[in-house]
């Protein structure tokens, strides 16, 4: 091994607006453009690519608001590779202007459009439903008929919602040869309903942004109401709705079509956690690349949307260049998994692995949870996963993840196990797994497991967490639980220890603990409880 869906985030929104401002374009100008084409919006030099705004026919007869960058000096008969960029949730068509211009500078026709149901694009928000996927093909059809796009070299990409739509489109449209999906999802259920637990803040943020910036369709309104209202009788319908919007359910078609897929995400993405991307990556059989970095949802790409240097976008351009233009830039010979640890002190060197399974190639350390712990439910112990869109951003910028004083956690409401202090650094890499036995005084309940890096003063820095909810369990009867925490890469310094904490309330999630509930975590001799911590080879 060599060391080498709405507004996605405040940083993303700011990036799009400032990028537009840098080109002399205000957001309202982008939305008020006449149909078909207009003159270029700025007095660009002759050597600059041409930007025009268009009304683009979408599927089902709606109109999508889009813009097109065409390479400078495109002569009669010349064709160029095409890149289609659907916007993120809640973002207008100007979101990708800075990156689209750079791509056009290097010889691409780039078409970006406001996803249906948002801003001035027609239709209603379908949440990457069939109509959204058909829109991608309709935009490709339009681009081939109205721009110097090359039908044999077509790519799609985007951030967040645009990433999810692009992945799904690669399953249905074999013309797509390359995809760059940044801060997206491959499994919608695992993203916002992992451990059978509603990710409250993520769903509320997306739902609220959808109502503020677009027109949610009746199906989305029904699903969102059922989801946030914990209507368990509607759970099968909600899961089926999510599966239809998950590229993981169509991976065979994606593999058959053969598009080269690049996936990028942040370790602390509080909307689309990294586990589901890693699992999807392992199922891909064509050219593929997986990149994980510190940060939260879309924060790793945000500076690139400003047009500033950004390694996520640099690699995205390299990916398109190789698989759409045949550039010999080496991206195809590099190890397909590239990760940057969360607390590497600003080191820009990435770790390279041949596949996701090799990330924890140093083996797993088992922390035995031998002592039984009993706790009352419904009270927040102070161990929390943080705040959506904020906590992991602070970790990215200042290495300041959520913290808790482990010795002061109230043991009536939090179960705590700690390792001995480590003489050497522990490099946690991959997916931490919890195995335990739970006995509940009620048939329903929720708990959240946390892994902390605990320093000499007892202050724990959050490494990872994950929720777990159960329904219909016989009260008083023990049952086994296997829970994957969200994947991460974190270096535990020498002299520190690991702590496993379990409590029953976290503002990130909806909890299902009846009043007066109690949970016991035990470790039967025939089935001992443990936490398995994957490590990088020292």
């Amino acid at each position: 091994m060599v060391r080498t869906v709405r507004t996605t985030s405040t940083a993303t929104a700011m990036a799009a607006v400032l990028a537009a401002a840098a080109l002399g374009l205000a957001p309202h100008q982008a939305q008020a453009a006449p149909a078909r084409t207009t003159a270029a919006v700025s007095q660009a030099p002759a050597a600059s690519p041409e930007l025009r705004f268009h009304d683009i026919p979408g599927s089902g007869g709606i109109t999508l608001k889009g813009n097109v960058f065409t390479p400078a000096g495109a002569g009669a008969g010349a064709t160029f590779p095409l890149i289609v960029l659907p916007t993120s949730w809640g973002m207008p068509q100007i979101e990708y202007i800075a990156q689209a211009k750079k791509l056009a500078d290097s010889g691409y026709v780039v078409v970006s459009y406001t996803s249906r149901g948002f801003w001035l694009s027609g239709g209603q928000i379908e949440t990457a439903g069939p109509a959204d996927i058909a829109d991608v093909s309709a935009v490709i059809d339009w681009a081939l008929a109205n721009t110097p796009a090359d039908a044999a070299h077509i790519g799609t990409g985007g951030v967040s919602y645009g990433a999810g739509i692009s992945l799904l489109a690669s399953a249905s449209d074999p013309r797509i040869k390359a995809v760059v999906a940044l801060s997206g999802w491959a499994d919608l259920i695992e993203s916002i309903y992992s451990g059978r637990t509603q990710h409250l803040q993520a769903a509320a943020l997306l739902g609220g942004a959808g109502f503020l910036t677009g027109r949610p369709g009746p199906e989305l309104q029904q699903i969102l109401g059922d989801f946030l209202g914990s209507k368990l009788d509607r759970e099968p319908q909600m899961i089926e709705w999510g599966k239809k919007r998950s590229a993981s359910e169509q991976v065979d078609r994606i593999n058959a079509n053969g598009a080269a897929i690049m996936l990028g995400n942040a370790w602390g993405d509080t909307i689309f956690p990294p586990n589901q991307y890693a699992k999807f990556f392992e199922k891909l059989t064509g050219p593929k690349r997986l990149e994980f970095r510190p940060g939260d949802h879309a924060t790793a790409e945000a500076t690139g949307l400003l047009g500033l240097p950004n390694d996520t976008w640099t690699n995205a351009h390299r990916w398109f260049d190789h698989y759409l233009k045949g550039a010999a830039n080496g991206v195809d010979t590099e190890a397909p998994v590239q990760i940057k640890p969360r607390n590497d002190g600003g080191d820009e060197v990435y770790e390279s692995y041949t596949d996701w399974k090799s990330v924890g190639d140093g083996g797993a350390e088992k922390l035995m949870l031998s002592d039984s712990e009993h706790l009352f439910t419904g009270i927040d112990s102070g161990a929390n996963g943080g705040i959506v869109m904020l906590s992991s951003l602070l970790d990215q910028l200042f290495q300041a993840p959520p913290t808790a004083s482990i010795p002061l956690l109230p043991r009536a409401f939090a179960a705590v196990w700690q390792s001995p202090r480590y003489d050497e650094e522990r490099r946690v890499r991959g997916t931490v797994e919890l195995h335990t036995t739970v006995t509940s005084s009620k048939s329903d309940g929720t708990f959240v497991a946390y892994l902390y890096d605990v320093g000499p003063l007892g202050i724990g820095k959050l490494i990872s967490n994950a929720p777990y909810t159960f329904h219909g369990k016989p009260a008083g009867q023990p049952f086994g639980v296997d829970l994957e925490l969200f994947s991460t890469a974190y270096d535990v310094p020498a002299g520190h220890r690991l702590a496993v904490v379990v409590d029953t309330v976290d503002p990130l999630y909806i909890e299902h603990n009846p009043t007066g509930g109690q949970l016991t975590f035990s470790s039967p001799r025939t089935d001992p409880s443990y936490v398995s911590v994957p490590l990088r080879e020292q």
Side-chain angles (χ1 to χ4, degrees), residues 10-56:
T10 301
T12 306
M14 182 179 294
V17 173
L18 293 179
L23 293 175
L25 173 64
H28 71 274
Q29 290 176 296
Q31 298 302 324
R36 296 294 296 173
T37 62
T38 69
V41 298
S42 61
Q43 297 298 319
S48 295
E50 181 182 50
L51 168 62
R52 294 181 183 271
F53 289 92
H54 295 263
D55 284 348
I56 301 175

Side-chain angles (χ1 to χ4, degrees), residues 30-35 53-56 63-67 87 92-93 112-115 118-122:
Q31 298 302 324
F53 289 92
H54 295 263
D55 284 348
I56 301 175
T63 297
L64 301 169
K65 294 294 182 177
N67 58 64
T87 59
Q93 67 198 63
S112 176
Y113 68 93
T114 303
S115 298
F118 290 102
W119 298 91
L120 294 184
S121 279

Side-chain angles (χ1 to χ4, degrees), residues 260-309:
I261 308 292
M262 173 180 162
L263 307 171
N265 204 354
W267 293 118
D269 194 319
T270 46
I271 295 180
F272 302 130
N275 300 46
Q276 46 93 30
Y277 246 19
K279 292 176 182 177
F280 176 70
F281 171 83
E282 287 291 271
K283 296 177 182 178
L284 293 171
T285 58
K288 58 184 180 177
R289 183 179 178 95
L290 177 67
E291 300 184 356
F292 283 144
R293 300 174 175 82
D296 207 316
H297 185 62
T299 62
E301 302 87 27
T303 56
L305 293 175
L306 285 166
L308 300 174

Side-chain angles (χ1 to χ4, degrees), residues 226-259:
D226 293 342
F227 185 78
L228 294 176
S230 299
K231 297 182 179 179
L232 290 177
D233 60 318
R234 292 277 300 168
E235 185 181 47
Q237 289 86 348
M238 288 186 281
I239 290 175
E240 185 61 26
W241 179 87
K243 285 183 176 181
K244 291 178 180 178
R245 289 156 172 81
S246 297
S248 60
E249 296 291 318
Q250 301 186 44
V251 67
D252 290 342
R253 294 177 62 187
I254 292 173
N255 288 334
N257 287 340

Side-chain angles (χ1 to χ4, degrees), residues 487-528:
S487 302
T488 193
Y490 185 97
D491 296 337
V492 180
H496 288 212
R497 67 178 74 200
L498 290 171
V500 179
V501 176
V502 176
D503 75 358
T504 62
V505 175
D506 189 312
L508 283 173
Y509 313 112
I510 291 178
E511 50 99 359
H512 297 262
N513 293 300
T515 302
Q518 301 176 44
L519 297 179
T520 299
F521 295 86
S522 59
S523 183
R525 186 168 298 180
T526 56
D527 186 20

Side-chain angles (χ1 to χ4, degrees), residues 1-4 182 261-267 274 277-278 281-282 288-294 300 311-312 315-316 318-319 330-342 344 348-359 429 488-489:
M1 185 192 71
V2 181
R3 274 180 62 93
T4 49
L182 306 176
I261 308 292
M262 173 180 162
L263 307 171
N265 204 354
W267 293 118
Y277 246 19
F281 171 83
E282 287 291 271
K288 58 184 180 177
R289 183 179 178 95
L290 177 67
E291 300 184 356
F292 283 144
R293 300 174 175 82
D311 54 357
T312 303
N315 288 337
R318 294 174 63 223
W319 193 255
V331 74
D332 58 319
T333 62
E334 296 170 357
V337 176
Q338 300 284 329
I339 70 171
K340 182 179 180 182
R342 286 170 41 201
D344 64 355
E348 291 301 321
V349 177
Y350 283 71
E351 297 174 3
S352 301
Y353 299 88
T354 56
D355 54 30
W356 174 248
K357 294 178 182 179
S358 300
V359 171
R429 299 290 186 274
T488 193

